[in-house]
Amino acid sequence: MTAGTADRPVISAWSALSPWGEGADAFRAGLAAEENAITTVDSEFVPGTPVRAGVVPGFPVDYPGTRGTRSLDRLTRLTLRLSGLVIADQGGSLGSRPEDTGMVLATSGSLRTSLEFTGQSYRERQPFHVDVARYPSTATNCAASRSAIMHGLKGPNTTLTAGPAGGLLALGQAARLLRQGRAEVLLVGAAEEYTEDRALLEEALHGDGGTAPPVAEGGALFVVELAEGAAARGRTALATLLGCRFRAYHPRSGGDADGALRRCVTDLLADTGTSSDELTLVVRSDPDGPLGEQENSALISLLGGPEHGVRQLAPGHRLGYAGSAGPAFQVAAALAANGPLPLRAPALITFVADGRVGAALLGAPAGRPTRHMGRGTT
């Protein structure tokens, strides 16, 4: 690998709110136990009908809240709780000036809130006879904005809506903000909510004969900063963000996820000066059907099969389809695979979706020796 990793962004802390539970420890335990967190919930639209979903256990669907939070949707409540977990783990502060601390969040927003608000404007006698307190939750950036207000983060605040690419795009955006000196510390990640409205939408999107996977909620947030800043603030780097790459393809023009992902990963390894022989861990999206087969084919052609010593993880099968939070869960899995210790060798995160693919590469923090993480496929 090339020198200069000390100048790259690092992940120095993280937490998760997932169907495995609350916090990084619960995520590590669920990953290590290969626990299937997809459960059966009762249908909201057709009571008595079971629906398979990955929901955050014990998280209240509705509760009164306090003044100023009563009207918040589930997504915003989940994000507030998740950001609170990260900051609480850091002693209540990220250790930088509020103006230099920001947030980059990928999400699809709250579909239910938007539908309910729009529906009310049609049902009432006048279109403006709506609950104005609910309006902020219809904005996609509500979750990130409320988290910044709650925790006093006055730096850049960015919300990305990019579907299954969102969790990795957020890391790329964070790297740009740090390189440009627009922030010193960033909370970076993705979050989604579970509602039956979203489950029905996913079913409609898979209406081409495929079966919609169980929908999952939750998310993961990472503290991303430059290595020098992390050391100055007393945090130990867990992984170096070496780079991200994305690529589009058009099936009608002869493109496919296999070729696009191979090109994407090849370019990423070349950009970062990393040899494929250095990789000991791959965390893939592994969707069901042809897309998953093409992702697997691309990785085999690049890295070889499990017999070549590259450990593979696919947490999405045990958590459910989490939209933009899916890649964030994959990054969390790469960090959790080594327990609470820093990454010991480069780890590759990949995703494939209709018309687009992406990859991110994490490396061991500067100054740490590279070691193999073991063999096997999960």
Side-chain angles (χ1 to χ4, degrees), residues 36-60:
N36 190 332
I38 300 172
T39 59
T40 300
V41 298
D42 191 40
S43 169
E44 302 165 270
F45 297 151
V46 188
T49 302
V51 177
R52 298 283 287 167
V55 297
V56 176
F59 195 84

Side-chain angles (χ1 to χ4, degrees), residues 6-95:
D7 299 325
R8 296 181 185 271
V10 299
I11 296 174
S12 54
W14 67 281
S15 193
L17 197 59
S18 76
W20 280 326
E22 185 175 287
D25 288 342
F27 192 92
R28 291 190 194 98
L31 183 71
E34 301 183 19
E35 178 185 345
N36 190 332
I38 300 172
T39 59
T40 300
V41 298
D42 191 40
S43 169
E44 302 165 270
F45 297 151
V46 188
T49 302
V51 177
R52 298 283 287 167
V55 297
V56 176
F59 195 84
V61 176
D62 294 302
Y63 59 94
T66 59
R67 182 173 181 176
T69 64
R70 293 186 182 93
S71 61
L72 295 184
D73 56 78
R74 184 172 177 83
L75 171 64
T76 303
R77 295 174 189 267
L78 284 163
T79 308
L80 284 171
R81 180 58 184 156
L82 177 55
S83 56
L85 288 173
V86 178
I87 293 175
D89 287 345
Q90 300 305 304
S93 171
L94 294 180

Side-chain angles (χ1 to χ4, degrees), residues 127-218:
F128 50 82
H129 291 169
V130 293
D131 181 3
V132 295
R134 302 280 295 178
Y135 178 73
S137 291
T138 66
T140 311
N141 68 338
C142 179
S145 299
R146 287 282 189 167
S147 295
I149 293 169
M150 179 73 74
H151 303 299
L153 312 180
K154 299 182 180 180
N157 192 279
T158 306
T159 297
L160 303 175
T161 56
L168 295 189
L169 281 171
L171 288 175
Q173 171 69 358
R176 284 189 291 273
L177 290 172
L178 291 171
R179 281 198 304 267
Q180 295 168 2
R182 297 179 181 272
E184 293 183 358
V185 181
L186 291 165
L187 272 181
V188 184
E192 299 284 6
E193 68 175 6
Y194 170 80
T195 63
E196 199 161 344
D197 306 77
R198 181 170 160 242
L200 291 174
L201 175 63
E202 294 298 339
E203 185 176 344
L205 292 174
H206 287 79
D208 56 356
T211 301
V215 170
E217 69 175 0

Side-chain angles (χ1 to χ4, degrees), residues 60 72 82 84 118 160 196 226 237-238 244 246 349 356 359 361 376:
L72 295 184
L82 177 55
T118 302
L160 303 175
E196 199 161 344
L226 296 180
L238 300 176
C244 301
F246 304 91
I349 295 95
R356 50 195 165 160
L361 186 64

